[in-house]
Amino acid sequence: MPVTQKDLMKTPKKALLKGHFACAGCGSALAFRHAIGSIADEVILVVPASCASVYQGSGKGVAFNVPTVNTAFAASDAVASGISRAMKKKGKSNLKVVVWGGDGSAADIGIATEIGACDRQENILHVMYSNNVYGNTGGQRSGDTMIGARTTTTPEGNTTPRKMVPFIMMANNARYVATASAAYLEDFVGKFKKALSLDGFKFIQIDISCPPNWRCESAHSVKISRLGVQTGIWPLFEWDRMTNNVVLSTPSKKYEVVENRVPITEWTSLQGRFRGITEEEIKALKTDTERQWNFIRKFL
Amino acid sequence: MPVTQKDLMKTPKKALLKGHFACAGCGSALAFRHAIGSIADEVILVVPASCASVYQGSGKGVAFNVPTVNTAFAASDAVASGISRAMKKKGKSNLKVVVWGGDGSAADIGIATEIGACDRQENILHVMYSNNVYGNTGGQRSGDTMIGARTTTTPEGNTTPRKMVPFIMMANNARYVATASAAYLEDFVGKFKKALSLDGFKFIQIDISCPPNWRCESAHSVKISRLGVQTGIWPLFEWDRMTNNVVLSTPSKKYEVVENRVPITEWTSLQGRFRGITEEEIKALKTDTERQWNFIRKFL
Amino acid sequence: MSNEKNTAERIRLDLMIEVIQISRGGSGGVTGAKILAEAAMYEGLDAQAIPKYGSERRGAAVEAYLRFDTKPIRVHSPVYYPQHALVLDASLLDRIDVDKVDKDGVIIINSNEVPESLKGSGRTIALVDASRISRELGLILSGFTLVNMTMLGAFVKGTEIVSLDNLLKAIENYWGEKRAPKNMEAAKRAYEETKVVIA
Amino acid sequence: MSNEKNTAERIRLDLMIEVIQISRGGSGGVTGAKILAEAAMYEGLDAQAIPKYGSERRGAAVEAYLRFDTKPIRVHSPVYYPQHALVLDASLLDRIDVDKVDKDGVIIINSNEVPESLKGSGRTIALVDASRISRELGLILSGFTLVNMTMLGAFVKGTEIVSLDNLLKAIENYWGEKRAPKNMEAAKRAYEETKVVIA
Amino acid sequence: MTEGPSQPKLYPIEGVAGKTGDWRTFYPVVDSELCIKCNICWKYCPDNAIYPADREKDQIISFDYDYCKGCGICAEECPKDAITMIPEGE
Amino acid sequence: MTEGPSQPKLYPIEGVAGKTGDWRTFYPVVDSELCIKCNICWKYCPDNAIYPADREKDQIISFDYDYCKGCGICAEECPKDAITMIPEGE
Amino acid sequence: MVVKHETKTMTGNDAASYAALYAKPEVIAAYPITPQTTIVENLSRYVDEGKLDAEFIIVESEHSALAACMGAAWSGVRTFTATSSQGLLYMAENVFWTGYGRLPIIMPVVNRCLAPGWNIWPDFQDSMAFRDAGWIQMYTKNNQEVFDTTLQAFKISESKDIALPSMPCLDGFIISHTSGQVQLPTPEDAYEFIGPYSDPIIEIDVDNPWAFGAMTGPEQYSKNRKDLIVAMERAKKKIVSVHKEFEERFGRSYGNGLVEPYGDDVADLTIVSLGTIGDETHEAVDRLNEEGLNVNALRVRTFRPFPEEDIVEFAKENHKLLVIDRSASFGHAGQLGIEVEAVLKRNKVDTPVIGIIRGLGGEDVPYTKIMDDAKESLKG
Amino acid sequence: MVVKHETKTMTGNDAASYAALYAKPEVIAAYPITPQTTIVENLSRYVDEGKLDAEFIIVESEHSALAACMGAAWSGVRTFTATSSQGLLYMAENVFWTGYGRLPIIMPVVNRCLAPGWNIWPDFQDSMAFRDAGWIQMYTKNNQEVFDTTLQAFKISESKDIALPSMPCLDGFIISHTSGQVQLPTPEDAYEFIGPYSDPIIEIDVDNPWAFGAMTGPEQYSKNRKDLIVAMERAKKKIVSVHKEFEERFGRSYGNGLVEPYGDDVADLTIVSLGTIGDETHEAVDRLNEEGLNVNALRVRTFRPFPEEDIVEFAKENHKLLVIDRSASFGHAGQLGIEVEAVLKRNKVDTPVIGIIRGLGGEDVPYTKIMDDAKESLKG
Ligand SMILES: Cc1ncc(C[n+]2csc(CCOP(=O)(O)OP(=O)(O)O)c2C)c(N)n1
Ligand SMILES: Cc1ncc(C[n+]2csc(CCOP(=O)(O)OP(=O)(O)O)c2C)c(N)n1
Ligand code: SF4
Ligand code: SF4
Ligand code: SF4
Ligand code: SF4
Ligand code: SF4
Ligand code: SF4
Ligand SMILES: [Mg+2]
Ligand SMILES: [Mg+2]
């Protein structure tokens, strides 16, 4: 069920009210607006500690116009499990339980909880929006930080590869796994709605750009996300347990072929987090990108 | 470096002293004896809560004749990281830091810790011995319990597939991943020593039989493990980050072909945990086994 | 905590009776103790069955304790000075400190004959070859002869704290329709075959 | 907590001086406050720079507080009744409660002219077009004009709590050899260009 | 019925962070000549601060300056460069 | 030098669980006629309770009955069925 | 009221499981740990066998066990879990979250001491570590009280004017694994006593959305906490009234529900304690009385909220207190001892207090030992 | 002894980072959480820039942060971490493990209150929850004391006769993010003061293997705990002596290291508190004195071990105590208040105690508020 820009306009209600606390140009808020918006009348949100727990608001009220439970950093998939089971018990299985959290909870502190919920095949969707960093605490390295990125805990550049949680979830036999990008919102919302139509544990990672932590101009937010796909850094795909196959998403198809890819420096040069990146680091980053593609290719 | 039975006899010292607390016929103690024995003069053991924390002894002393640190259930890979780094700092990188724990810590409560250490490429080896159950607490379902197994928390038979931690570790870019069986000790010790020769995070899962929890005769311990391989239930393989390829281990080669496999019932019938297993459950178990093989095949 | 009164006196005075049981891990000793406590309940007594947990493994020695009283039991410690001892495996006799067992109490042993160590002790011993009875009735699990129910019959015969009927009722209740008969039979046969002797 | 003494008196009496600063998230206001505290230290004063943390985002209003004293400061609260106010962005002036600022204190504003709301208030205002100075010196980060260092010059000029020399020393120390000159220049120029007027 | 406990519970409102238009240093302006009503700008606004164009009513996009944070994405993404970012106060 | 703190630290000893031979209900016996000194039994004993055979010295395997728990693996795995499990006491 | 009873022989863990079974929770999530394990196993069995129509979530850790219950509690259904020792520590974040969030979850804690070294025997270090967390804590003395307390906990916690989670505490092994007699009401009577959870404290509602736990400033935050303080005060009365109602219906009681005095009203020495030591103390008191020593006892059944008034009243009348703790706040003293001293001080009661720590790491505390301690205290 | 000093303007977190830098830990593992974050960032930078020759482990959670430090501590090297609030709760199991295991880890806790709702401002609920865990806890009043205390902590904790981990506590934001002046000794002087960790409390040794933390029966277990109790007693003396040595070398002191009295020896009212409220109280005392009110103060610097003797001595001389807690044990009262009452009771000191709770969730506690509270107390 491909989603068009027109479809994006037909939301039951606004999920993200104006005047929220996200930074100007926040890709996470952008993705939230459309995805949660598309099912705003039947969703229950579970939000671990992250920027999303901050940009939703504070004090007077919240910008999230859907039921929202904020949880401890590592607790969200278990809380979501409890909600999903309770709703089942109450005969309200039609409600969609969605975890909306960052890479910190999904890739690091909360991954055991997430793998556990996946293992139990809980009927929930986990959306991991990744800015490749602990944004809320000011930009420390996360498991999803890529090689070469300067963060406040890797000031001279991170040396370890990205964790690639989608692969882990494939290996962990999720019902459905997909990657997405804030530059391709129709693609993202399509995957989001598809995931919600399936029973069991679904996982989507969406890379979103984050001006303060990527140290980029807010105006470049979407552009950088798009370049992430075009440089091949961030391959968009779907994987389904039923087929055990990966299907490359349209925006990424072309970039499987290395020659077709936009040079990585077009992407790095727009971001302060890559200032000072060395040739070797670029090489290592490319090698790790190829590793990811190789993993994907095994399932094509 | 293939290991022979002769090699097993040449250990620097006994790692597991006689008169330990393991049940009669314990496959975990058996595996420990040979693997840890093979490097008993240069190993540091980290043991999370598990049968291994019990069978090592209590009160008067311990049967583990190597330095051993017992840790909280979810803490072992992080403790091992700390030890490994400290030893590096002290110029003692020659010492091997090995986590020896069960499926409970490796597949469930401690998997975030483990994935974290893997992500950091810590120089440690995690050996997950799996009896597919929380043995120490009396046989509750773990993430590594297979479909159809009766445990004290799934008295009518478990319905969810095994977690397959080795796949997760492959997806998580470990340095080296292997599976092993207590029936093929030379193969196991060979993998164990190979893993220790490599830098970075290594992971081996060894399936070991557990008479009280598998509700089997202790005499059948090794036999059941062997049947696990021969029925194809437990494929033995190695995976190396450098190649991103799986190599089937000799004992398992033949069983890639479904027709060559010993009927699964020969394996289940020896185990009380499968008493009352239904046709559908057997079918589901077979399907899940095939799923595992399919995953492996992608990397052959 | 020490033996202030002998068993006969205790019963007469409505005092608590304490029992130590020794068995092998995996032989169902803990279940046996629990069933005995239930039988005592039918008898109108308050009863406690305390398994002593450690890292017991199949085959290793496991202690358990029992208390019986006409009043609510408010004591929670292990039993240090039992009136009786129940020994499910004769080879484990040396694991209990016989000197701490009341001189007037009964030591119930799964054996045909008085063990060497007790010979001439003047102790009251209840003897039964429970292993044989259990084997004959097919009470075997993974090569392990289950003497726990059988020995309950001997205990009842030896101590008379609870009646055989109540014991059988408790066994029946525990095992349920299908599996009870064999176990009840074992207890009954042991009850009949138990010989009480003075060593 | 209220203005017991006016600023001149406070200085004479060795009393603490408190300042409120308002800036936009991302404009370096917190750094500026910290540097000012360091400059005061060179002056021999005890000083505190307190950022008021919340969920500030780039562009959103952020408060910070400063304290200066000749004795060790033992007060940790936010500043409620400041002697002076430092306004890094004129449009944020309405975010502070000017009535709580000491009537004899100085309000330092990044602006060419006295804002409407203060006109005729009789207040002492220190004015400087810091944005222009910063732009001219290329103090721009991701489209954001960094006026924090510039405004420090104006603050020093307006309040005379610390000397320009000590301010420059603190700026130099913070930014290091390579990046200091531009920032010092900005402060110096602001110092020179700042006009103190009575509104 | 007893009242429930005091819990950290908040209800949805618009403008929880205030009028976030305040945060802006540049503001977007659309050139009605250039705009083709494709609504791409609308789509990419993280702050939902663009009223979409309506081809049928021949209405172009407009901005909700109360909440537009001035990120500039709309200007950057507009395929027709119909949006310009102007410094506040100019 | 000050003494260290009281910590839960234990040192290696043999027989920490006691003479685990006690746990046995069956004990293994080897038939020297049948044994081919392959040491497979030695390999599979979880309790390290078999003294291996030595072909050179023409010595067959033997058991450490102090610690053999009687699991029966050796008997089950012996390719020559050279080991028999005998009930204790018989 | 005449109700039907049935007496069964069961362990303390069985007793907790029966209370849960009868309360019909709709979602249960738990993770095994010795000596709590059999509770989890019982409940899995009830659900697998269809005896209990609940969702049972076999989670991968205690952090998730309580988290899943929290999810269910937010959804407005009755929920239950249980844990012990390391498990309780592992879920620490959510323990506070539940208490501060006012979610009425019932979670028996089978007391076991904390590592290292590994030790599965009982002391109260685990639950004591959570005395600040906003939970009702009741320490039980035997299997019967475990059942009764767990059942009462549902009724107390789920009252809208209380809205506090409950942690019935039972000594590991000593209660959890020891079989004894427990009088059970019929499941119907038990359920009728607590009633359905039909007017939930909080309930997710897509038509009326709210966000729970978003960024909260000092003002609202401290308002929430002050309400928690007040709710704890109210809980004291509620515990007493539910306990009284229970007594009227089922004929069993434990003092007034907060404290259980034993022996004469006035004595030379009062032994104050928690849990099974409290039961064992009754034995000691009788024997000391037989020896002609004038000793009585006060078992603190409810530790949170702390029954200040009741302790003070009792202490006033007596001549000396001996407080026995089965845990320690290292670097100071036993937790119960400290708090008893504090309330006496606060209320200007002169009765001297002697605090001792016994039974750490599962060391046995027989009545003989308590008698010795009492004699020692009478001397001093 | 004359030592070189340099005064710098820095935040409290910077001060903690400097102390760590100067102590030269060999392994550091930490996980970010507001408001502790900048400590982690500073240390990463020191290591990345080569200023500090240490292994920095960027772990995936706080449970692992402390676990990694424990691994290093078992290996016999100096180690350091820091955390706050939820992070402290998430590592709860290892916090107890470290304390009970007697591993000399230094871990500043930047105090922040506990969710829900999310709230990053300071109160002491987080560290207070670990007052049983076998850690030395010192609450600091300003940036300078953070540096001094963290440095002292290494020397205290790593003494073989102490062998207890240390948790220097600093109010989040109020100290952690506020810049102020800190006198720093030279790195060499600082290092010389604490010395190298050359005779480790415990050290993994392949030639002399042991197992740490295996199954432990009640006897050895309670022996370990009793030694912990005794070590805490010894720690009081050690804190005083290290503090004295520090004073002699560097010229700064905080009372005797355990408590810091302020004002006249005898007063109508003594204000007892922890952390920055203690500093703010000094301001209040001066102003109250100016108003002619006879008030003094006692700041409890060391909360674990609890300085019973010092508090009692001081309380004896004074006429009334006002104890201000920045945390509560819900269902009873403020933790400091309870314990002060307890020790006075224990030592038969009649001085009345008034306990109040202030500043939960980061509510500001200005000296004016303290003055009001004091006046109120003087009346009552
Ligand atoms: C147990 C625990 N540790 C640390 C924190 C502090 N913390 C809150 S959000 C966060 C980072 C979140 O990063 P991510 O999940 O990537 O989301 P983002 O902020 O980037 O949106 C951290 C470390 C916490 N809340 N709880
Ligand atoms: C936080 C925590 N939760 C639960 C436990 C209880 N526990 C100890 S070992 C164990 C099961 C171990 O299972 P596994 O890892 O498979 O090892 P096995 O016992 O089967 O050898 C459990 C649940 C614990 N020690 N800590
Ligand atoms: S820090 Fe990044 S992810 Fe967080 S709100 Fe700002 S832009 Fe969005
Ligand atoms: S329970 Fe199983 S794994 Fe544990 S010691 Fe016994 S046989 Fe080995
Ligand atoms: S993106 Fe440009 S052309 Fe399209 S609607 Fe917006 S302003 Fe008009
Ligand atoms: S500038 Fe940014 S916030 Fe404003 S309308 Fe354009 S996209 Fe939206
Ligand atoms: S396995 Fe059999 S044949 Fe081989 S050495 Fe052992 S007893 Fe002899
Ligand atoms: S019976 Fe088992 S324990 Fe005994 S020697 Fe054979 S293999 Fe070893
Ligand atoms: Mg992130
Ligand atoms: Mg296991």
Side-chain angles (χ1 to χ4, degrees), chain D residues 12-181:
Chain D
R12 193 173 44 78
L13 290 173
D14 263 7
L15 285 180
M16 191 189 292
I17 294 181
E18 300 183 315
V19 175
I20 186 168
Q21 173 189 281
I22 183 116
S23 64
R24 287 196 184 278
S27 71
V30 172
T31 305
K34 198 170 163 176
I35 288 174
L36 216 41
E38 182 158 326
M41 177 184 84
Y42 297 141
E43 206 72 37
L45 297 172
D46 209 46
Q48 233 182 21
I50 309 177
K52 185 174 171 186
Y53 275 82
S55 28
E56 66 284 338
R57 296 294 183 198
R58 199 196 264 195
V62 186
E63 282 185 19
Y65 314 104
L66 282 149
R67 289 198 171 89
F68 306 94
D69 204 338
T70 51
K71 306 174 298 305
I73 299 171
R74 301 171 304 185
V75 174
H76 299 270
S77 295
V79 167
Y80 296 104
Y81 298 97
Q83 271 69 51
H84 309 294
L86 177 58
V87 182
L88 268 61
D89 181 328
S91 67
L92 292 173
L93 181 61
D94 60 348
R95 291 301 186 87
I96 58 177
D97 186 347
V98 175
D99 289 344
K100 289 192 176 155
V101 180
D102 185 1
K103 295 266 174 298
D104 295 323
V106 185
I107 301 178
I108 303 102
I109 309 179
N110 172 9
S111 176
N112 261 326
E113 48 189 50
V114 175
E116 271 316 308
S117 63
L118 291 176
K119 278 189 182 151
S121 64
R123 293 236 174 213
T124 311
I125 315 283
L127 292 170
V128 70
D129 189 347
S131 301
R132 183 186 38 77
I133 297 176
S134 293
R135 267 199 308 276
E136 284 174 8
L137 288 167
L139 289 169
I140 292 172
L141 184 72
S142 318
F144 226 97
T145 310
L146 299 170
V147 297
N148 53 345
M149 295 302 112
T150 321
M151 285 302 287
L152 294 185
F155 178 84
V156 164
K157 176 68 168 288
T159 64
E160 297 183 345
I161 297 171
V162 303
S163 67
L164 179 63
D165 277 358
N166 278 329
L167 173 65
L168 295 177
K169 185 172 160 196
I171 294 178
E172 185 167 21
N173 185 32
Y174 181 87
W175 289 105
E177 234 172 283
K178 230 184 88 193
R179 292 191 288 173

Side-chain angles (χ1 to χ4, degrees), chain H residues 251-265:
Chain H
R252 278 186 308 278
S253 66
Y254 306 91
N256 67 351
L258 298 171
V259 297
E260 185 184 46
Y262 185 79
D264 293 343
D265 285 353

Side-chain angles (χ1 to χ4, degrees), chain A residues 8-38 40 63-65 185, chain E residues 13-15 20-21 24 28 39-53 61-74:
Chain A
L8 295 183
M9 304 188 79
K10 291 179 274 173
T11 57
K13 63 175 176 176
K14 283 188 179 137
L16 183 65
L17 302 180
K18 294 179 195 182
H20 54 71
F21 268 108
C23 309
C26 174
S28 177
L30 174 59
F32 185 102
R33 175 189 156 209
H34 291 292
I36 306 300
S38 73
F64 287 4
N65 194 18
L185 289 163
Chain E
I13 52 164
E14 195 171 279
T20 49
R24 222 163 38 219
N39 279 334
I40 286 180
C41 54
W42 167 86
K43 180 172 68 183
Y44 284 123
C45 174
D47 284 275
N48 213 348
I50 298 179
Y51 300 108
I61 62 119
S62 61
F63 300 98
D64 183 342
Y65 290 115
D66 277 354
Y67 293 112
C68 160
K69 289 176 186 151
C71 68
I73 292 178
C74 51

